[in-house]
Amino acid sequence: MKKTAKKQIVTISFDILLISLVLIGQKFYEKLMALLPECIILTLTGRQCGSCGGTRCVYNFFTGNFPAAFQFNPFFFFVIIYVILLITLANLAFVFKIKSAEKPLKVIADYRIFIIFATGYFIFTLIRLFM
């Protein structure tokens, strides 16, 4: 199998998985929230960690309530936008074979971007814990 065909299959499979998770999450949101444990850091310190509000942010984002999504967790809000951009460019480059999408995809899929996100998450967590 050609490398391009493999990339197409992986991209389309990932798209189907993501769409399925969003649809399932919207349908079973209340049950999902009941299953998730309380944040240990919030329980111990009374302060939110970097992940607090992440599930509610994702849910509100995909139901179109963007102000609430941003309010629950601003960092996750931007991560969602980044992931959507990444998936869109991957689809354009590998599924629809649009050459002009390959260069921006290489830029935003670079490992340094992930390091920037990890550093940003660490700083965001520190700000939430100590401010």
Side-chain angles (χ1 to χ4, degrees):
M1 186 181 286
K2 290 183 178 180
K3 192 174 182 179
T4 307
K6 286 181 184 179
K7 287 180 181 180
Q8 286 177 323
I9 291 170
V10 169
T11 304
I12 292 170
S13 300
F14 190 71
D15 293 344
I16 292 168
L17 174 68
L18 218 73
I19 291 168
S20 300
L21 287 173
V22 168
L23 294 175
I24 289 168
Q26 287 179 349
K27 183 168 177 78
F28 299 107
Y29 176 73
E30 296 298 327
K31 291 179 183 176
L32 175 67
M33 291 304 289
L35 291 174
L36 294 174
E38 187 74 29
C39 177
I40 295 170
I41 294 173
L42 181 62
T43 305
L44 294 175
T45 65
R47 296 202 176 257
Q48 292 184 338
C49 71
S51 297
C52 283
T55 305
R56 291 171 290 180
C57 173
V58 171
Y59 173 77
N60 280 289
F61 188 93
F62 286 110
T63 55
N65 192 354
F66 302 118
F70 185 81
Q71 196 170 24
F72 279 121
N73 193 314
F75 186 81
F76 272 40
F77 184 84
F78 290 112
V79 169
I80 294 168
I81 293 170
Y82 171 76
V83 169
I84 290 171
L85 180 62
L86 190 66
I87 291 169
T88 303
L89 287 172
N91 279 306
L92 291 173
F94 302 133
V95 177
F96 299 107
K97 298 179 183 177
I98 297 173
K99 294 285 183 194
S100 60
E102 290 178 10
K103 190 172 183 177
L105 178 62
K106 286 180 183 178
V107 170
I108 71 165
D110 189 67
Y111 74 93
R112 289 172 276 202
I113 299 297
F114 295 108
I115 292 172
I116 290 169
F117 269 107
T119 305
Y121 178 72
F122 179 72
I123 293 168
F124 177 73
T125 300
L126 290 177
I127 289 170
R128 269 192 153 184
L129 287 172
F130 298 112
M131 299 242 169

